[in-house]
Amino acid sequence: NLKIPVGWVDYEDGLLIRNREITINVSAKVSINSTIESGLHYNVVGKLLGYANPDKFVIISSHYDTVMTTGFVDNGAGTAGVLELARILAEATKEGGYNSQYTILFIAFASEELGLVGSTNYVMQHKAEMKDIIAVVNLDCIGSDNLNVARTDSSESFDLDELILKAAKDLNINTTLTEPGGSDQEVFRNPSWANVGYSQ
């Protein structure tokens, strides 16, 4: 049995909060000065060691950069999702309520908006590990009323998009199955993308 940490908000509670926002008259204006310049970019990686197959990996990822977009959605929300999943799963593991069979890597990729730069560099620098990656769950532009799930290639044991669609149905979350493309997961699905765009 998984012990859900204090502070967990389930989907129903989330709907209550979302419905409440339209019943009150609140507005805010936020201005953030920023500078666009060249420099070093870093992927940020956290690891939760698996107990049965620690040399096999599940990646939960997002990209933390934004370029001329609503940065909260694309992709502050996705990065917040990765951080929160890392926190919850680490706490649950520490309390003995959860043990992952595989090692989970929580990765915030740099420079997705500039052409999947962070994920491409990750794949090229970890070529030997690619065969050991079981799944990549990439969170990009999350938080809308509809969950878009990219179609995945089925492996020997499971099909990731089917698992996600089933879980979403159980939680009454509206979902749309979309074609692959457009974000960091593609470099893992089709590593030839990395060969084209890689520069050290």
Side-chain angles (χ1 to χ4, degrees):
N1 291 332
L2 174 63
K3 295 178 185 174
I4 304 298
V6 175
W8 176 266
V9 178
D10 68 19
Y11 184 69
E12 252 180 53
D13 290 338
L15 284 179
L16 291 175
I17 293 168
R18 181 165 284 179
N19 290 338
R20 186 167 180 217
E21 74 187 11
I22 61 175
T23 65
I24 54 178
N25 186 15
V26 175
S27 64
K29 182 177 181 181
V30 177
S31 177
I32 300 172
N33 295 324
S34 63
T35 303
I36 298 174
E37 59 185 39
S38 298
L40 294 175
H41 296 191
Y42 297 93
N43 294 328
V44 181
V45 182
K47 181 189 285 187
L48 185 61
L49 200 62
Y51 74 93
N53 295 290
D55 296 328
K56 300 287 184 182
F57 305 98
V58 171
I59 293 175
I60 299 175
S61 65
S62 67
H63 68 90
Y64 65 85
D65 64 314
T66 184
V67 179
M68 302 299 287
T69 66
T70 307
F72 173 77
V73 173
D74 189 8
N75 189 33
T79 301
V82 170
L83 292 172
E84 184 65 359
L85 283 167
R87 184 188 69 79
I88 287 172
L89 293 177
E91 278 185 16
T93 300
K94 185 177 178 182
E95 293 172 5
Y98 174 77
N99 281 312
S100 174
Q101 178 177 350
Y102 306 113
T103 293
I104 302 176
L105 299 176
F106 302 94
I107 307 177
F109 288 117
S111 306
E112 186 264 5
E113 301 289 0
L114 301 178
L116 312 182
V117 174
S119 54
T120 295
N121 277 273
Y122 185 90
V123 166
M124 295 303 287
Q125 292 177 22
H126 295 85
K127 282 183 180 180
E129 297 167 17
M130 290 302 108
K131 67 184 186 318
D132 298 319
I133 295 174
I134 304 300
V136 176
V137 178
N138 187 51
L139 307 179
D140 198 347
C141 299
I142 65 171
S144 72
D145 290 330
N146 191 71
L147 176 66
N148 289 313
V149 179
R151 190 180 308 279
T152 61
D153 302 324
S154 57
S155 70
E156 299 168 7
S157 55
F158 70 98
D159 193 336
L160 184 58
D161 61 12
E162 286 181 8
L163 288 175
I164 293 171
L165 291 171
K166 182 181 182 311
K169 184 178 180 183
D170 291 345
L171 294 168
N172 280 333
I173 298 173
N174 297 323
T175 57
T176 302
L177 188 62
T178 64
E179 291 306 311
S183 195
D184 290 308
Q185 75 279 353
E186 285 308 297
V187 183
F188 293 89
R189 190 181 67 81
N190 185 358
S192 64
W193 282 38
N195 291 327
V196 172
Y198 181 67
S199 64
Q200 233 175 347

